[in-house]
Amino acid sequence: MRQRILAIVGAIALVVVALVVRGIVTGSDGASGTSDAKPIVACTSDLMAVCQALADSGDIAANPPTLDLARAAIATVDNRPLDGWITWDPAPGIANLDAEAGGKTRPWSTAQALGTSPLGIATLIGIQPVLPSGCSLSPVVWDCIARAAVEEQTPVGIGTGTTAGSLARLYPLAQALVPKGGDFRDIAAADLKAIIDSPNVAQADFPNQAKTLVTQRGALDILVGPSAGLNALRGTRTAVAGGTAEAVNATVVLVSRDGANIGSVAKAATSDTTAQALRGTGVVPGTGRLAPEGRAGELYAVRDKVDS
Amino acid sequence: MHIRTTAVRLTALVLAAGLVTASCGSGGGTNANQDGLGDPGDCTVIDMAVSSEKIDLMTALAKSFNGSDDAKLGDGCAFVRPFSKASGGATELLATGWPETGEGERPVIWSPAASSWGQILNQRLADDGQSALVGDAVSFQLTPLVIAMPKPMADALGYPAKPVGWADIAKLSTSKEGWAAYGHPEWGAFKLGKTNPNFSTSGLSALIGQTYAAAGKTRGLSQEDLDNPKVTAFAKNVESSVVHYGDITMNFLNNWFRTDRDGTSLLYASAVAVEEKSVIDYNKGNPDGILKPGETPRKPRVPLVAIYPKEGTLYSDSPLYVLNADWVTATEEKAAKQFIDFVQRPSAQKKVLEYGFRPGNPDVTIGAPISKANGVDPDQPSTLLQVPAPPVLLSMLQKWREQRKGARVLLVLDVSGSMKEAADPKNPSGPTKLDLAKKAAIEALGEFKSDDQVGLRIFTTGLGSNQDADFQDLLKVQPMSANREGLASKIRDQFPQNATPLYAVTGDAFGDMVTQYDPTKINAVVLLTDGKNDDGDSSDDRQQLTSLLEKLRRGTDGENAKSVRVFPIAYGSDADLNTLTEIAEATNAAAYDASNPATITKVFTAVVSNF
């Protein structure tokens, strides 16, 4: 009897040892990998085409999950630890701040840019957006766009102000609202909310708002987004893209969960299919650099005010 | 809790009303439209319930899809089969598990006119503790609500150089001068056509638009706004010019088109709230958007112009829902998604445009027929209104019941001998046709407000003490506050008697209502009959009918006419629907088909939706 018990204990010990060894070999904690150890990489919903391209080429695990700021402070989806996240800069920094605020360790390490585009605006031919006195649309002055939404209730498509993509688009408008001598924490929450509430239809991510601009005339007077994406909307009647006087970029980044090795994903992101998917999100692949370190803190404050 | 209960009741009202639309012959009918679709063979059949205005388009798209490479489904194939179902009716059926009662096959895909119906459905299910049947959906086409107006009238208002909106409609509605103020006394008073917002997406959108205009807002409509006396007064002003309401816009468009032939369309209505697509169809000579076999489009003499209200408007967004229902299999879901992908492709979206809808795919540029040549403007609307929160929406509907134009109605009930026949021939011991008619009439009384005036007349031969009268007035036309109980009681007392002197009684009822005409109300006769004219002498039937139609038309035409509408209900399979339609059209009203006696309650309620 005693021998049998020892045999069972021994077998269990062997299984445990095998799992530990496997974890070391795959470079993960043993919980995230699939049998072929492909990294699990999530995308924000508006960048899912990029993840799908990587999954289709076998560079990341199949069925990539969606992840946005609301759940990014814990780098897991459905209890599956993530290896990486493709999102808009500086969302990983904001998620790290969220984690710290919750007494947890920062989940995300340094990001790298996959593509970027300066932010611009699109309008509809035949609809003259109401702008504050002294403002015009060419060249675009972000202060004018912000005040058009706040003071004139001009419907501006900017997203919900709580997602990675939306915060990247909102940044130049928020910056324009910073009072003299103050910082982002001093922006009037009511002004930020007025921008978010300016359209009579719900705010949405950039791809959906680009569609709304064109197909639901009257819903949006101004759409803010990556210029490369806006240019795709240019048409004879429907939309034009305007350049901006003060360049602010929206940048897609790949970030690894702290300790995970996703070097192969970064390399795969330069492939033709992934580059095409990146172009579809409105950025120019293979370009861009990260925003200054303080940007995450600034947009953290902005999101808090929108949410308040 | 109280608000929630009220909301649920009102939602139920909206939905119940919508159900009625589903049963009416002229509008969101239940008949499967499978013309030319052919045999699905062994393919996976995808039944699709769609709102009536797009049944022709969806049938055309299904024809393109079925049998194509796009319809391949593994080793098999998908076969899409659309059928027409009014949005409100489908909502009610889905909320109750889509009972198999001859209302069409249980759908895999549902496409109401607007996604607000999907929200209402999910809300209703949630209230009943059930899970949602619809999720996010693709909006594959759009059409905005507009105010359709005959071009000469729009020109007189200075449109489009001068923007026009609900504020102008409210002002015109109460103008004592009417069109004389614009140099056209021959057009008489301003007359507005609007569908009942409890039944129709257009009617609901129009109500939202006029309420925002009254509140001076484009968003955030609140209960306080609705309670504002100025908003109430604005609403009453707009409603005061309504010719009649109804369940579907095509009744207005058909009447407009018919009167266009004899040059009196400007006298029937000055403006009607419809979807942009309807203006295109009308101007192309197809007023109801459905070309029947043998029907040839004929361009109207006086075209319509789409006025995009300056205060803003709403879109009907045609969502395509794959239902999360237990009757939808995984294979059907996959096949449905293939079809939904198909209709978003540019080739299908060009077809969407051909049919007068705005494509949901931004890659297809708006062009003809959405053009100024067809009376519409692709560069409009410039402002989109926010859909109010559900409690505000429901409160708005409740208030509308009191704000709408009052009605003065004579119910004329056929109590001829044939009404004693069993309503269902397979159940000879079941209720008679008169039993069901009485029940329906009594139920419909609940739709009248207290200051509506309603009277009751029965007809058959051999009435009265001398047995020589063709009709008897059981209750004179007076306010429902005094008549409601009496009407129910008198209707309940009726029994089948003799023959059917239809023409004589219709003429008398019309004449009496013209004599008592009240210009502040919708004046109408509701005529329920199960037969043909039968007064004992068939030799003069044709002459009687001709005289009757002349009398009705004489009373209806002209700028100073006292418009009394006759709404006949053709009840049972023996009723003479064609003749009743002629009678209705002679007064610019509509006939209703209740050839299946089981539908009489729904049909009666649909008729009352005109008031």
Side-chain angles (χ1 to χ4, degrees), chain B residues 149-151 253 257 276-287 297-300 302-306 371-376:
Chain B
M149 187 174 278
K151 188 170 185 308
L253 295 162
F257 199 69
E276 179 188 66
K277 178 227 181 337
S278 295
V279 175
I280 296 168
D281 287 340
Y282 184 94
N283 287 341
K284 288 167 81 178
N286 181 19
R298 173 190 63 81
K299 288 204 172 192
V302 178
L304 299 178
V305 169
S371 63
K372 290 185 178 171
N374 282 320
V376 302

Side-chain angles (χ1 to χ4, degrees), chain B residues 39-113:
Chain B
D39 182 358
D42 294 330
C43 293
T44 300
V45 174
I46 305 302
D47 284 305
M48 178 167 63
V50 306
S51 48
S52 57
E53 78 285 354
K54 56 177 177 272
I55 181 62
D56 273 13
L57 167 63
M58 298 313 291
T59 303
L61 290 174
K63 279 182 189 171
S64 302
F65 175 78
N66 296 338
S68 72
D69 286 348
D70 294 308
K72 283 183 181 163
L73 191 64
D75 293 336
C77 50
F79 188 94
V80 172
R81 204 162 57 181
F83 63 96
S84 174
K85 178 64 69 180
S87 305
T91 305
E92 171 65 15
L93 285 165
L94 289 167
T96 52
W98 201 286
E100 295 181 74
T101 54
E103 301 278 8
E105 294 294 325
R106 286 172 158 177
V108 175
I109 300 175
W110 176 42
S111 183

Side-chain angles (χ1 to χ4, degrees), chain A residues 124-127 153 155 196-202 210-212 214-221 232-233 235-238, chain B residues 138-140 142 218-220 315 317 344 358-363 365-367 370 378-387:
Chain A
L124 291 169
I125 296 170
I127 291 184
Q153 290 83 50
I196 303 300
D197 290 341
S198 62
N200 289 339
V201 294
K211 184 178 173 186
T212 298
V214 176
T215 61
Q216 292 194 46
R217 205 174 173 85
L220 299 172
D221 283 4
L233 302 175
T236 54
R237 173 180 289 126
T238 49
Chain B
V138 168
S139 172
F140 82 108
L142 301 111
T218 63
R219 58 182 300 128
Y315 282 98
D317 58 350
Q344 293 176 80
R358 298 185 179 211
N361 181 341
D363 294 338
T365 309
I366 293 180
I370 300 178
D379 290 336
Q380 293 277 0
S382 57
T383 303
L384 195 60
L385 300 172
Q386 186 181 51
V387 177

Side-chain angles (χ1 to χ4, degrees), chain A residues 183-190 192-193 300-308:
Chain A
D183 61 30
F184 279 72
R185 290 170 298 182
D186 301 316
I187 298 172
L192 283 170
K193 287 180 179 174
Y300 182 90
V302 167
R303 188 195 53 177
D304 268 8
K305 285 176 184 289
V306 171
D307 255 349
S308 64

